[in-house]
Amino acid sequence: MKKKLVKTLRRIGLRILQTIPLLLIVTILTFILLHFAPGDPAQLMLGSDATPEKVEALRDELGLNNPLHIQVWDFLKGIILEGDFGVSFQSRRPVVEDIAQTLPVTIQLSIIGIIVSTIVGVLVGIISAVRQYSFLDNAIRVIVLFAVSMPAFWLGLMLLLVFAVQLHLLPSYGWGTWQQMILPGITISTFPLAMITRMTRSNMLEVIRQDYIRTARAKGLSANKVIYRHALRNAFIPVVTIIGLQLGVLLTGAVLAETVFALPGLGRLVIDSVYARDYPLIRAAVIYIAFIVTIINLIVDVIYTLLDPRIELH
Amino acid sequence: MTKPLLEVYNLVKHFQISKEAAVFAVDDVSFTINQGETLGLVGESGCGKTTIGRAILRLIPPNSGQVVLGGTDVLALSPEELIQMRKRMQIIFQDPFSSLDPRKNIMKLISEPMLIHQLGGKKEIAEKTYKLMDLVGLTADLSGRFPHELDGGRCQRIGIARALALKPEFIVCDEPVSALDVSIQAQILNLLQDLQQEMNLTYLFISHNLAVVKHISSRIIVMYLGKIMEIAEKDELFDNPLHPYTQALLSAIPVPTLDDKRERIFLSGDVPTPVNPPPGCRFVKRCRFAQAECFAETPELTDRGNGHFVACSQLSKGFGGCAQ
Amino acid sequence: MDVGTVNQSASDKKELLKVSNLHVEYRTLDGVVKAVNGATFRVDDGEAFGLVGETGAGKTTTALSIMNLVPNPPGVTTRGEIIFDQKRIFDLPDKAMQTIRGNRISMIFQNPMASLNPVYTVGKQIMEVLELHQNLSKQAAREKAAEMLRTVNILENRMDDYPHEFSGGMQQRISIAMSLACRPKLLIADEPTTALDVTIQAQVLELMKGLKKDFSSSLILITHDLGLVAEICDKVAVMYAGFIVEHGTLRHLFNHPLHPYTLGLFNSIPSLDKSVSRLQPIAGLSPDPKNLPSGCPFHPRCPYAMDICSQKMPEKTEAEPGHELFCWKHA
């Protein structure tokens, strides 16, 4: 038991170390892609009627005319030596501050989203599986089909229209009060909820047919105990991957929901920075996204090994 | 004077599972099969019998050794030559359902080998397919059916027809009846015997079921953990088993008669997997006659006369502790 | 289709289980599968009863019915009664049934790897049944579980290992330990050794014989292997297409089997002692349980079939005391 723990911890350490070269490659690739992408940040900042000299001057100032490898080297030096990820072209503030400012909103929204979608999704999935072919099961499946097909922005707008505009029940924008969290929360939970419900349902259906479930019943366990103690424990394992995936999506900015509800989150920040060709902000955002995705993958993998004793961490 | 059709010399196949560990599935195995003969290959899980069957046909590439079919070394052939060679050697698999492509109907399944080797035009091949179906006891109206619509027995007949399509000389039968019901088993065994007579086939019959192997084989090889423990003519093996493992195996089979007066020999422990086997006899950990030298040297197969070979150092020393 | 009771001279043995005229069908989208069609038999205290048949004969459904575990939907018991220890199984509410399962009646299944939950340790799975039925503390349950493992020759230090870390033979022994932990009066074993190697099969069988004696339980052994039946059973019933076609003591069935299907089974098996040049298989295929033949279900494959066989289901014939079959040829 102890040996396995030590082995797992060592492998976790290794995986964390592996993220460093990964982030390095991501950074360099981003640099290269941005360098060759159309659009000039200086031009965008000064406007279309600015003189070419002014544009060049600004480009020099921003370091955009340096050779690519110098730019990369300067950037990496800044990160490693000073923890400086650069300054945003738009706000002229360190990008770290700009991103940090949006994180509370994004993180809060993500937590709401993942908790709601997981709890509701798993429960509904179980019900659907246990009562397969019943009216309830069919109704759930139709609803899930809708949920999976609805574009998030459409759903957000509809909710806005009905609850905020028509019924005046809930606020239509902003972030801070719990009332403001409801509509965006519903909007971003819907798709993950549908995915989790589906996965839970199909896994439960498969698990219920397994021999060890029959053994559990033959031991005299009640139907509930069999479902929650024996079936769910097994069926839930692949669902963890989906939850991780969805969490990753949410943590890196739910752009559409943020746009519809005017939330000052990471998604909007990133999109705006792309339009403005705010290279430092884009780079930092990409590094952040890559980091989050990698860490979440690692956590999901570790949880897998904890849930399924047959699996060892790579 | 029967001459050997298949000769296997020093066949080795191991699977590397990690840097330090390898599974020695087939560990220096040699035997011959005469034309028209059925050689039975018995053993429990991990003995290597399935691996041998596939290694002989080069479905799995062996690590070393020679496999000579009708004078040609199968392992030395180039890929193109091997494809031609496949017409002479075929295999019937254990699970009739998983060995048939569920998306192909019977006609396609049986005619596929002939189409691949271009043994005629479409109409000709279709006719040949119907003949094969008749040969294995499938009615022609089934040609459009799919495997999942049929029972295990019929699916196995499809597998047999497919194996016969290229008119091979040698067929590896890898547990062909193990997945079938008892009454169907008997049907298929009779079919295999009839086909052998009609088409002068040579079989390597692999199975864990000793009664079945005894019925259909003329000679039998007993394997354990990748090595041959004993070879003998079938009656000789059952009347006079010499190797301790064979004796235990025979005593363990439940027989459907009352008043079974056999001495029951119970082997302790489980059937191990042949990972990094230590030197010495493979059977030493479960053998009731094991002595010191059994742990040190691997016994060779010695001739006890009448084509009966045994790999046991206690026996070679003149009946040490082995009961007769 | 009522077989009635076995001869009275054996009634100094107490009757533990009585299955009467059991009819079970599965209502599926493809049609109604008639799995069990009137099975009647009894098992006495301390007796080993063999239920023999091939795939689709209805043996597993019968076994599951005894524990009222036939999945519903799609399984429906349309007729019949099962009395265990003087209780009517089908009248019991599920809560009462739960106190019987794993406790008074236990069952082990064919595939040992698949029958154990892969995410819980072996010790925990045995403890579960002890904690459930015997109200033991965790510590007491753990000790008892270790003791059970010892009786099946598995070392106590493996209690915290997971099922996949054991071999097939050991997994089956663990299942046996789990099923006997509460000392049930009846153990149902559904093809317990089919997935095991021959030498391991012999080990497990020997173990079961010993435990049956030590724990004084009755055994229903479901199998297609007549050899196993000869090893361990006292009475045997042969099932075909959901019907019991012949039943009697071991001697009855092995020394003079009468029903053409039983005879066919014996003739299909290659023998270790006698050599035959050709086996005598039963012609044809098992019937489609969605579409059973009229009259005697075996008549399409029976070498002795007469006109009446396709018209009427045979009535019970007593060939000798305690040996009954359903066949017009012997009527």
Side-chain angles (χ1 to χ4, degrees):
Chain A
M1 193 61 190
K2 212 169 167 208
K3 254 181 24 181
K4 196 176 173 206
L5 194 64
V6 169
K7 203 158 73 149
T8 311
L9 284 175
R10 225 166 29 122
R11 289 186 179 166
I12 293 178
L14 241 114
R15 284 278 290 263
I16 294 182
L17 282 178
Q18 280 172 355
T19 61
I20 297 175
L22 180 76
L23 292 177
L24 205 66
I25 295 175
V26 166
T27 309
I28 296 175
L29 273 175
T30 312
F31 246 102
I32 296 176
L33 285 170
L34 286 176
H35 184 78
F36 290 107
D40 183 351
Q43 182 83 58
L44 288 167
M45 283 196 284
L46 294 176
S48 43
D49 49 331
T51 61
E53 298 83 25
K54 276 218 171 121
V55 174
E56 270 313 298
L58 187 54
R59 282 183 65 90
D60 279 334
E61 196 189 315
L62 296 176
L64 290 172
N65 283 330
N66 294 339
L68 191 56
H69 61 276
I70 303 279
Q71 291 189 50
V72 177
W73 181 241
D74 285 338
F75 180 62
L76 292 174
K77 244 190 347 188
I79 296 181
I80 298 172
L81 297 178
E82 292 155 37
D84 175 15
F85 281 79
V87 171
S88 160
F89 290 168
Q90 298 168 83
S91 69
R92 300 295 181 161
R93 292 194 307 167
V95 293
V96 183
E97 277 179 33
D98 279 348
I99 291 180
Q101 205 172 35
T102 65
L103 281 183
V105 178
T106 299
I107 292 181
Q108 281 172 353
L109 194 56
S110 304
I111 292 180
I112 294 176
I114 216 64
I115 290 183
V116 168
S117 57
T118 302
I119 295 181
V120 178
V122 169
L123 279 172
V124 174
I126 294 177
I127 294 174
S128 197
V130 168
R131 289 171 201 271
Q132 199 187 11
Y133 302 134
S134 70
F135 174 73
L136 191 58
D137 174 35
N138 288 329
I140 289 175
R141 289 168 74 192
V142 170
I143 295 175
V144 162
L145 184 61
F146 271 111
V148 131
S149 325
M150 281 191 282
F153 65 86
W154 181 87
L155 177 63
L157 283 171
M158 289 297 114
L159 288 173
L160 244 187
L161 208 62
V162 172
F163 289 97
V165 176
Q166 299 280 20
L167 300 178
H168 298 289
L169 278 176
L170 293 166
S172 61
Y173 65 92
W175 187 259
T177 65
W178 66 268
Q179 291 98 328
Q180 283 167 321
M181 296 187 190
I182 294 182
L183 292 181
I186 296 178
T187 307
I188 50 117
S189 303
T190 305
F191 186 80
L193 195 152
M195 294 294 285
I196 291 173
T197 303
R198 261 196 185 170
M199 257 245 118
T200 304
R201 178 181 179 276
S202 71
N203 284 336
M204 280 295 282
L205 282 177
E206 210 184 290
V207 165
I208 285 179
R209 286 178 195 0
Q210 295 300 310
D211 284 355
Y212 57 83
I213 298 297
R214 201 169 46 166
T215 304
R217 289 282 279 151
K219 277 156 79 170
L221 292 166
S222 66
N224 268 347
K225 280 213 186 97
V226 171
I227 289 177
Y228 288 99
R229 209 193 277 182
H230 285 263
L232 186 58
R233 209 36 184 77
N234 281 278
F236 188 64
I237 297 174
V239 182
V240 170
T241 312
I242 301 283
I243 295 176
L245 229 93
Q246 296 299 325
L247 184 60
V249 169
L250 291 175
L251 280 177
T252 52
V255 176
L256 297 167
E258 288 173 18
T259 308
V260 167
F261 293 97
L263 304 176
L266 182 62
R268 282 221 303 175
L269 184 68
V270 175
I271 289 289
D272 289 344
S273 70
V274 171
Y275 284 136
R277 300 293 188 277
D278 190 343
Y279 291 169
L281 198 52
I282 298 176
R283 284 178 219 137
V286 170
I287 294 178
Y288 166 77
I289 292 173
F291 179 71
I292 290 285
V293 170
T294 315
I295 291 296
I296 288 187
N297 269 345
L298 178 59
I299 295 178
V300 166
D301 282 353
V302 170
I303 292 182
Y304 238 84
T305 62
L306 292 176
L307 289 178
D308 191 341
R310 293 169 288 187
I311 303 202
E312 279 188 4
L313 192 65
H314 289 312
Chain B
M1 199 50 207
T2 48
K3 52 179 212 129
L5 176 64
L6 180 78
E7 299 157 275
V8 176
Y9 299 112
N10 309 107
L11 192 63
V12 173
K13 176 65 191 172
H14 60 257
F15 299 94
Q16 204 73 31
I17 48 178
S18 72
K19 264 200 310 236
E20 307 87 20
V23 173
F24 280 77
V26 179
D27 197 1
D28 192 7
V29 165
S30 308
F31 58 88
T32 57
I33 313 183
N34 294 322
Q35 176 127 53
E37 188 187 14
T38 300
L39 179 67
L41 184 54
V42 292
E44 296 174 296
S45 38
C47 72
K49 52 192 198 296
T50 302
T51 311
I52 284 191
R54 302 198 186 202
I56 291 177
L57 299 183
R58 249 174 100 172
L59 293 174
I60 308 176
N63 292 93
S64 66
Q66 280 183 301
V67 175
V68 182
L69 181 70
T72 317
D73 186 354
V74 175
L75 303 181
L77 296 175
S78 70
E80 296 83 24
E81 290 168 327
L82 181 61
I83 294 180
Q84 291 308 308
M85 193 62 176
R86 294 242 176 269
K87 288 194 271 201
R88 301 175 61 190
M89 51 187 201
Q90 286 288 314
I91 183 166
I92 300 170
F93 295 100
Q94 171 176 357
D95 186 350
F97 292 105
S98 61
S99 60
L100 298 176
D101 187 337
R103 306 184 69 224
K104 294 200 164 85
N105 61 28
I106 295 188
M107 170 59 74
K108 286 216 183 80
L109 286 167
I110 300 178
S111 57
E112 191 175 20
M114 296 187 272
L115 288 168
I116 293 175
H117 288 266
Q118 293 164 328
L119 295 184
K122 267 183 86 174
K123 210 161 139 218
E124 232 184 294
I125 290 184
E127 270 171 38
K128 285 191 189 169
T129 304
Y130 282 118
K131 281 219 186 79
L132 282 165
M133 285 174 68
D134 185 48
L135 198 60
V136 300
L138 289 168
T139 52
D141 60 319
L142 294 174
S143 63
R145 299 280 196 92
F146 291 86
H148 69 267
E149 297 179 274
L150 302 171
D151 64 286
R154 287 220 191 98
C155 283
Q156 197 60 303
R157 290 174 197 266
I158 301 172
I160 295 174
R162 182 176 63 178
L164 294 173
L166 298 177
K167 296 214 193 318
E169 300 163 45
F170 170 65
I171 301 186
V172 172
C173 305
D174 188 359
E175 307 254 23
V177 295
S178 303
L180 304 174
D181 269 328
V182 167
S183 53
I184 310 293
Q185 256 189 44
Q187 290 176 10
I188 301 293
L189 286 174
N190 281 354
L191 175 65
L192 286 173
Q193 282 183 307
D194 293 340
L195 290 170
Q196 183 175 42
Q197 287 260 0
E198 271 183 58
M199 301 176 65
N200 197 17
L201 297 166
T202 305
Y203 291 145
L204 174 64
F205 193 92
I206 302 172
S207 178
H208 64 274
N209 185 331
L210 276 142
V212 166
V213 168
K214 182 181 189 226
H215 173 76
I216 200 170
S217 320
S218 43
R219 270 188 315 135
I220 301 177
I221 292 181
V222 178
M223 280 189 74
Y224 189 80
L225 285 193
K227 280 198 166 302
I228 297 183
M229 298 285 114
E230 191 162 3
I231 310 178
E233 305 266 321
K234 76 154 164 226
D235 289 324
E236 171 73 9
L237 187 77
F238 282 82
D239 290 337
N240 189 21
L242 294 175
H243 196 284
Y245 177 59
T246 314
Q247 292 169 351
L249 204 56
L250 290 178
S251 82
I253 310 169
V255 274
T257 51
L258 306 180
D259 313 319
D260 180 21
K261 298 220 169 29
R262 292 173 300 167
E263 178 206 342
R264 303 311 295 289
I265 303 167
F266 295 104
L267 295 179
S268 59
D270 287 290
V271 183
T273 44
V275 180
N276 289 356
C281 176
R282 294 276 184 276
F283 187 57
V284 82
K285 291 218 182 92
R286 299 168 87 199
C287 184
R288 63 199 196 286
F289 298 117
Q291 302 292 318
E293 63 259 4
C294 299
F295 287 87
E297 324 155 348
T298 309
E300 296 288 322
L301 277 171
T302 52
D303 192 345
R304 315 295 305 175
N306 263 336
H308 193 157
F309 294 80
V310 189
C312 177
S313 44
Q314 291 313 300
L315 204 51
S316 310
K317 290 180 132 199
F319 307 73
C322 299
Q324 281 265 30
Chain C
M1 230 194 70
D2 196 82
V3 171
T5 51
V6 181
N7 73 324
Q8 295 307 309
S9 68
S11 65
D12 50 338
K13 276 216 176 143
K14 217 182 82 175
E15 178 184 289
L16 179 66
L17 174 78
K18 178 90 165 74
V19 175
S20 308
N21 200 18
L22 184 65
H23 285 77
V24 182
E25 51 187 48
Y26 292 100
R27 301 195 176 149
T28 70
L29 296 169
D30 297 322
V32 175
V33 176
K34 289 186 172 308
V36 183
N37 299 306
T40 302
F41 59 91
R42 74 180 245 184
V43 179
D44 293 331
D45 257 342
E47 196 172 69
F49 185 86
L51 195 52
V52 176
E54 296 174 297
T55 325
K59 325 183 286 289
T60 303
T61 307
T62 306
L64 291 174
S65 298
I66 296 175
M67 304 236 278
N68 208 352
L69 272 184
V70 175
N72 175 4
V76 177
T77 304
T78 53
R79 270 204 289 172
E81 190 178 63
I82 298 183
I83 300 181
F84 171 74
D85 212 13
Q86 283 133 29
K87 301 190 201 54
R88 290 194 148 75
I89 294 284
F90 295 139
D91 288 345
L92 293 176
D94 203 45
K95 260 202 139 65
M97 218 36 233
Q98 284 165 27
T99 60
I100 293 183
R101 293 185 199 127
N103 194 14
R104 314 273 79 216
I105 311 179
S106 283
M107 188 159 171
I108 58 175
F109 301 94
Q110 175 171 346
N111 190 344
M113 177 75 229
S115 299
L116 294 170
N117 194 327
V119 302
Y120 290 118
T121 62
V122 151
K124 204 138 179 263
Q125 296 190 51
I126 302 181
M127 281 164 65
E128 186 176 33
V129 74
L130 287 165
E131 284 164 4
L132 179 67
H133 294 297
Q134 297 191 348
N135 237 320
L136 297 175
S137 69
K138 267 222 152 47
Q139 185 55 31
R142 210 185 146 82
E143 277 165 22
K144 198 108 194 282
E147 193 188 307
M148 284 313 298
L149 281 180
R150 258 177 282 136
T151 59
V152 297
N153 297 325
I154 292 186
L155 293 176
E156 191 179 322
N157 62 7
R158 302 213 63 184
M159 282 257 292
D160 296 321
D161 286 343
Y162 290 92
H164 70 274
E165 299 178 85
F166 294 87
S167 68
M170 293 171 105
Q171 287 164 353
Q172 197 61 303
R173 281 186 271 152
I174 293 169
S175 291
I176 293 174
M178 201 162 68
S179 64
L180 291 175
C182 298
R183 296 188 170 253
K185 294 182 113 174
L186 175 64
L187 173 64
I188 307 177
D190 190 354
E191 306 263 19
T193 56
T194 304
L196 305 176
D197 278 317
V198 170
T199 52
I200 307 299
Q201 181 175 264
Q203 259 180 27
V204 170
L205 206 58
E206 198 60 22
L207 181 69
M208 282 173 67
K209 271 158 70 173
L211 289 176
K212 171 177 159 284
K213 219 163 78 188
D214 294 339
F215 284 67
S216 323
S217 10
S218 306
L219 171 69
I220 295 181
L221 177 67
I222 298 176
T223 181
H224 61 273
D225 188 339
L226 287 164
L228 283 184
V229 171
E231 286 270 332
I232 197 172
C233 296
D234 307 309
K235 302 226 285 286
V236 187
V238 178
M239 270 187 99
Y240 183 80
F243 297 86
I244 292 186
V245 295
E246 184 169 7
H247 73 102
T249 66
L250 200 60
R251 298 213 159 264
H252 291 154
L253 270 277
F254 278 74
N255 288 340
H256 22 101
L258 293 173
H259 194 282
Y261 177 61
T262 315
L263 287 170
L265 275 184
F266 276 106
N267 287 333
S268 301
I269 310 171
S271 156
L272 276 188
D273 317 311
K274 305 177 262 118
S275 282
V276 290
S277 57
R278 256 179 100 78
L279 298 166
Q280 290 169 283
I282 306 174
L285 297 167
S286 297
D288 179 3
K290 295 196 286 282
N291 199 0
L292 290 175
S294 56
C296 172
F298 188 61
H299 84 257
R301 304 172 77 186
C302 184
Y304 308 107
M306 308 179 283
D307 281 339
I308 191 174
C309 299
S310 61
Q311 293 158 5
K312 266 177 75 176
M313 183 64 213
E315 288 155 7
K316 176 177 57 150
T317 313
E318 195 186 51
E320 39 186 336
H323 182 178
E324 292 170 351
L325 71 154
F326 292 79
C327 181
W328 286 121
K329 179 163 167 278
H330 294 274

